[in-house]
Amino acid sequence: MYRMNITVENFGKIESADISLKKMMFFIGDNNSGKSYLMSLLYGLLKTEPSDLLNKFNFTEKVAVPPELSGLAAAFYEGSVFRISEEQFEKLVELINNIMEVYKDYLVRDLLGDDVTIGVLRLEIPFFPVEVTATKGLDSSKLMITSFSDEKLSLRVFCDQVSVLRRLYDNADAILFFIVPSLIQYAAAKSMGLHTDMVYQIDPVFFPVSRTGFMLTYKTLMTQAIEDQFNPSAKNEKLNMLTLPERDFLKNLSQLNVKEKTDNESRLKIARFIQKELIDGSLKVSDLPVADIVYCPGDNASVQLPLYVSSGVVTELTPILLQLLYGRRQNCIMIEEPEMCLHPELQQKIARMLIKMANSGFTVMVTTHSDIIMQHINNMIILNRHANRDAIMNELGYDMDDLLASGDAAVYQFSINSETGKTRIEELDCGNYGFELPTFINALDKLYDHSSKIVE
């Protein structure tokens, strides 16, 4: 199975991590151990655009291009169809890691601010076919059109625009930097099990742990942002202190198109599950520059409650529900601590929601402290390969989209070394009974020992 791997060293509190991208990824472990940092880093990496490598920092002046790629770069300026060889692909991966050596510092600074540093960010990208069509003499505003399929990554390059790019940066290799994000995107999509013929790129959406606070102060923050936009002298320190995922979270809320509800049946099915099983009601959103969002309990749309008097489960799940119904077609969902404010029964249903998302075409990344969520993940892995699967599913009320294949999930445990204060990250194995989770098992064993002594 195709796997793209990411190696991180000396990133904040994280000493080392080797991450293999999969359809579902869970980050568990100690508080303040770097789980949010790592998911933020993956978010920023998957959102990398050509402009990040060219316009912003002019990497063509800072990164050495392997000499073996000079002939490849020249082919982009000719009218021809060619495939990148495995040897050239290997050198392109070398170029990507040369870029990461410089880009990692800018990336982390943009994501998390100046106080966080990173030592190593390297990508391991196995070979996949890349076909390039270099078209001469076509008047187009686009430099390149990228299309994904399960068989290959196709790049249609317009030579006239490539020549402009060459003159702009005074570097014939500039086109190689331009295609790097497409290579990363395609490798990540294949590794995470996305249907590559359905996506142009990976479009992640990040739901921060502070989402309830943002939902309750959303109108104030957006009103201030609008005022700042038309007042150059204004400076909103509250917005400037947010991380990039948090700022993007607010931007996504402001871009919801409530006039065009999704017609995607998979998304609507998950939305209906949230409304029925988790919040027991629906949302009503006004069509304003800064939308009013109210909660309608049960089936009574005439009762409309502001979010600040609604249950915690409503405010926690409102942004996810809005994204499913009115947001762009993001295909990568990143959620911090989805169990926040939830009763154990609802935590189990949240786990069902996450699996349903993964089975409907999303990649799902989660940070969690919930042993209930992880036990449900294990249950669905066991049930998926059970000899009496169908009978048990019928008895317990599960559907096929509730099941999870063990190969589609990865669990990473974050453990802080008490002597160094640094975090080590290890991928946990999946056995006959799912993932064994030491971070939860050890804590529960300790609690049981204390209970035994107190009772005795």
Side-chain angles (χ1 to χ4, degrees):
M1 185 173 291
Y2 190 92
R3 285 287 173 256
M4 172 182 173
N5 296 311
I6 301 171
T7 298
V8 176
E9 294 179 7
N10 297 320
F11 173 40
K13 294 189 68 171
I14 297 173
E15 180 179 37
S16 63
D18 286 297
I19 304 298
S20 177
L21 297 183
K22 290 189 178 182
K23 180 183 292 188
M24 293 197 79
M25 300 172 63
F26 295 90
F27 298 155
I28 66 173
D30 299 336
N31 282 308
N32 195 29
S33 58
K35 297 186 294 295
S36 294
Y37 273 17
L38 184 58
M39 196 157 76
S40 295
L41 181 67
L42 295 176
Y43 174 80
L45 185 63
L46 295 177
K47 281 179 64 69
T48 298
E49 299 283 347
S51 58
D52 296 321
L53 306 183
L54 290 168
N55 299 339
K56 201 168 185 180
F57 305 114
N58 196 7
F59 276 76
T60 58
E61 296 180 357
K62 301 180 180 180
V63 176
V65 175
E68 294 87 349
L69 293 179
S70 58
L72 175 62
F76 282 85
Y77 299 90
E78 303 171 357
S80 60
V81 178
F82 60 93
R83 284 207 169 197
I84 294 175
S85 69
E86 292 195 38
E87 292 76 16
Q88 291 169 327
F89 188 93
E90 183 178 331
K91 291 300 177 181
L92 279 170
V93 175
E94 180 182 330
L95 172 63
I96 289 173
N97 284 311
N98 290 342
I99 291 173
M100 289 300 131
E101 180 61 29
V102 178
Y103 181 54
K104 59 183 174 58
D105 298 312
Y106 296 113
L107 175 62
V108 169
R109 188 180 308 154
D110 275 359
L111 283 168
L112 303 168
D114 295 331
D115 296 333
V116 183
T117 59
I118 183 169
V120 172
L121 174 60
R122 291 188 61 82
L123 310 183
E124 180 184 332
I125 303 178
F127 173 77
F128 53 80
V130 182
E131 183 178 271
V132 181
T133 302
T135 306
K136 298 186 72 172
L138 183 61
D139 183 16
S140 171
S141 61
K142 294 183 178 293
L143 184 146
M144 183 175 71
I145 296 176
T146 305
S147 59
F148 291 3
S149 73
D150 289 328
E151 294 78 27
K152 63 186 177 183
L153 169 64
S154 298
L155 306 174
R156 187 181 182 194
V157 179
F158 302 104
C159 297
D160 292 348
Q161 280 65 40
V162 172
S163 296
V164 172
L165 183 71
R166 177 180 186 174
R167 291 194 298 272
L168 181 63
Y169 292 97
D170 192 27
N171 190 326
D173 293 327
I175 183 60
L176 299 179
F177 293 81
F178 197 92
I179 69 171
V180 159
S182 294
L183 296 174
I184 296 174
Q185 290 270 338
Y186 185 84
K190 283 180 69 68
S191 186
M192 295 190 295
L194 292 173
H195 297 294
T196 50
D197 59 336
M198 298 175 60
V199 297
Y200 167 69
Q201 61 180 12
I202 297 175
D203 192 2
V205 57
F206 195 107
F207 296 97
V209 70
S210 50
R211 53 192 171 273
T212 284
F214 284 133
M215 294 310 302
L216 298 180
T217 59
Y218 164 69
K219 288 191 69 175
T220 300
L221 288 170
M222 288 298 97
T223 300
Q224 183 63 57
I226 291 171
E227 290 179 3
D228 289 353
Q229 183 68 28
F230 295 101
N231 182 4
S233 63
K235 186 177 182 181
N236 190 339
E237 294 292 343
K238 292 182 180 179
L239 288 178
N240 290 338
M241 291 173 61
L242 301 179
T243 65
L244 178 62
E246 290 170 335
R247 297 197 301 272
D248 283 351
F249 171 78
L250 290 171
K251 183 171 70 175
N252 284 334
L253 286 177
S254 70
Q255 294 174 342
L256 295 175
N257 187 354
V258 298
K259 291 183 178 179
E260 294 186 13
K261 187 176 180 178
T262 184
D263 60 357
N264 183 278
E265 185 54 38
S266 295
R267 290 168 183 259
L268 289 171
K269 186 176 180 180
I270 298 170
R272 289 192 291 267
F273 178 85
I274 294 173
Q275 291 170 324
K276 179 181 178 181
E277 300 291 341
L278 287 159
I279 68 172
D280 188 26
S282 59
L283 301 176
K284 187 176 179 62
V285 188
S286 65
D287 183 21
L288 296 170
V290 181
D292 275 316
I293 304 169
V294 294
Y295 168 64
C296 304
D299 297 324
N300 190 354
S302 63
V303 179
Q304 300 181 2
L305 303 178
L307 290 183
Y308 62 83
V309 297
S310 301
S311 165
V313 64
V314 174
T315 54
E316 283 292 305
L317 291 171
T318 287
I320 298 174
L321 184 54
L322 291 175
Q323 187 65 48
L324 289 168
L325 293 174
Y326 306 111
R328 302 195 319 273
R329 293 287 299 273
Q330 277 98 342
N331 49 21
C332 180
I333 302 289
M334 299 180 168
I335 309 177
E336 292 188 297
E337 300 182 26
E339 69 272 12
M340 291 284 286
C341 305
L342 299 188
H343 182 276
E345 182 180 356
L346 292 186
Q347 292 185 37
Q348 185 260 347
K349 290 182 178 180
I350 278 287
R352 286 190 70 184
M353 178 197 76
L354 296 173
I355 294 175
K356 288 177 183 294
M357 285 180 167
N359 286 329
S360 66
F362 290 101
T363 289
V364 179
M365 297 187 193
V366 175
T367 69
T368 184
H369 297 287
S370 172
D371 60 326
I372 294 172
I373 286 179
M374 296 311 303
Q375 183 57 54
H376 182 78
I377 297 299
N378 281 342
N379 286 347
M380 293 302 100
I381 290 174
I382 298 168
L383 179 57
N384 185 52
R385 55 197 183 196
H386 199 287
N388 298 322
R389 183 183 72 182
D390 293 345
I392 296 173
M393 285 174 58
N394 184 59
E395 179 183 351
L396 299 180
Y398 291 126
D399 300 318
M400 288 300 296
D401 62 1
D402 283 306
L403 303 179
L404 182 63
S406 58
D408 288 339
V411 179
Y412 291 91
Q413 179 170 285
F414 290 57
S415 304
I416 299 177
N417 186 315
S418 58
E419 296 181 0
T420 65
K422 288 286 190 177
T423 298
R424 294 199 65 183
I425 302 173
E426 62 174 324
E427 182 174 3
L428 302 181
D429 293 329
C430 185
N432 292 333
Y433 299 99
F435 295 96
E436 186 173 334
L437 309 166
T439 184
F440 297 140
I441 293 172
N442 295 341
L444 292 173
D445 283 347
K446 184 177 181 181
L447 180 62
Y448 176 78
D449 289 342
H450 287 193
S451 298
S452 298
K453 291 179 181 178
I454 292 169
V455 171
E456 291 171 359

